[in-house]
Amino acid sequence: MPPLLAQAEIEQALTHLPQWRTAPHASALLRDYTFADFSQAFGFMTQVALCAERLNHHPDWANVYNRVQVRLSTHDAGGLTAKDVRLAQYMEQVAERLNA
Ligand code: H2B
C-alpha cells in the first residue's frame, strides 16, 4: 500500500488539479463533473471504471443524469495516497476529451 501523502504533497498535486478540492482533514479529493447529458456522464464513468480496475483503485462516486460527484481516497491507507492523484489525473484526461 502506498504511504499517505504529506500536506505539502497534497498541495503540490492540487496545483495540477485546479478543479479538485480536499475534503475536511484532507481525507479525500473531491470534484463534481457536469457533462452534456447522461450518455456522456456514463461514458466517462465507463472509461474511468476500466482504468480503476487496472489500477485496483476505485472511486467513490454518484451519478445523477449528467452529473458525476467524485470522492477519491485510499480506503486501505485511511487517506490520500499517490493512487488518488493518479486516478484524478486520469479522470481529468477523460473529462477533457468529453468537454466536461
Ligand atoms: N480502492 C480505493 N479507493 N481504495 C482502496 O484502498 C482500495 C480500492 N483497495 N480498491 C483495493 C480495491 C482493495 O480493497 C482490494 C482488496 O485490493
Side-chain angles (χ1 to χ4, degrees):
M1 181 193 333
L4 287 174
L5 295 177
Q7 185 60 34
E9 292 173 309
I10 295 169
E11 283 165 20
Q12 169 65 19
L14 286 175
T15 64
H16 301 285
L17 296 165
Q19 306 206 64
W20 290 73
R21 63 193 193 281
T22 51
H25 313 297
S27 56
L29 292 178
L30 308 173
R31 185 176 170 186
D32 296 345
Y33 289 99
T34 302
F35 296 90
D37 54 25
F38 176 74
S39 292
Q40 296 268 299
F42 205 81
F44 168 79
M45 294 175 80
T46 303
Q47 289 185 59
V48 171
L50 296 174
C51 177
E53 274 294 277
R54 278 197 306 275
L55 298 175
N56 191 31
H57 195 65
H58 302 85
D60 300 347
W61 54 12
N63 163 238
V64 178
Y65 182 54
N66 66 332
R67 290 187 295 120
V68 180
Q69 285 182 305
V70 180
R71 178 186 177 90
L72 299 180
S73 73
T74 304
H75 310 142
D76 299 343
L80 288 175
T81 69
K83 282 189 155 193
D84 301 300
V85 175
R86 188 165 173 201
L87 191 54
Q89 287 167 340
Y90 182 76
M91 286 185 171
E92 289 300 286
Q93 287 172 23
V94 176
E96 201 170 310
R97 285 201 296 271
L98 293 168
N99 291 318

